[in-house]
Amino acid sequence: IVNDFKLYQNYPNPFNPSTKISWQSPISSWQTLKVYDILGKEVAVLVNEIQEQGTHELDFNAANLSSGIYFYSLQTQQYSETKKMLLMK
């Protein structure tokens, strides 16, 4: 049973070229999961739709990005969290 929103740290971290990002949601709601570079430029939109209640996981492939620090951010109407990840090629 999922009781609250939570964005987990990606695994593995550092990664090359793909990593798993997971989160949990206590309710079905519109959710957006985006990746940003160190300058705050959006580089990927991984989720932008209604997600069901529960735990979710996806693979992020960064083969087209250069090495560096990136941020991934989960946004809902009730919750917002951002975490850092490191791409090392």
Side-chain angles (χ1 to χ4, degrees):
I1 297 175
V2 176
N3 294 322
D4 56 355
F5 285 100
K6 180 158 179 68
L7 179 63
Y8 296 99
Q9 186 63 50
N10 66 303
Y11 181 81
N13 189 31
F15 68 99
N16 177 26
S18 65
T19 187
K20 292 189 182 300
I21 298 174
S22 57
W23 70 99
Q24 67 182 29
S25 173
I27 59 171
S28 297
S29 65
W30 192 276
Q31 300 175 17
T32 305
L33 181 64
K34 295 182 179 182
V35 178
Y36 301 90
D37 66 15
I38 193 74
L39 300 174
K41 179 183 172 193
E42 182 182 295
V43 296
V45 177
L46 305 177
V47 174
N48 190 21
E49 62 189 12
I50 294 175
Q51 295 287 305
E52 296 297 321
Q53 173 188 5
T55 302
H56 306 277
E57 180 179 272
L58 57 80
D59 289 317
F60 172 56
N61 189 325
N64 61 333
L65 300 175
S66 57
S67 296
I69 297 172
Y70 292 87
F71 299 92
Y72 58 103
S73 180
L74 177 64
Q75 300 277 334
T76 73
Q77 288 183 335
Q78 301 88 358
Y79 177 80
S80 174
E81 188 170 357
T82 301
K83 298 225 181 246
K84 181 170 59 171
M85 60 184 169
L86 179 61
L87 172 60
M88 294 181 65
K89 290 188 174 184

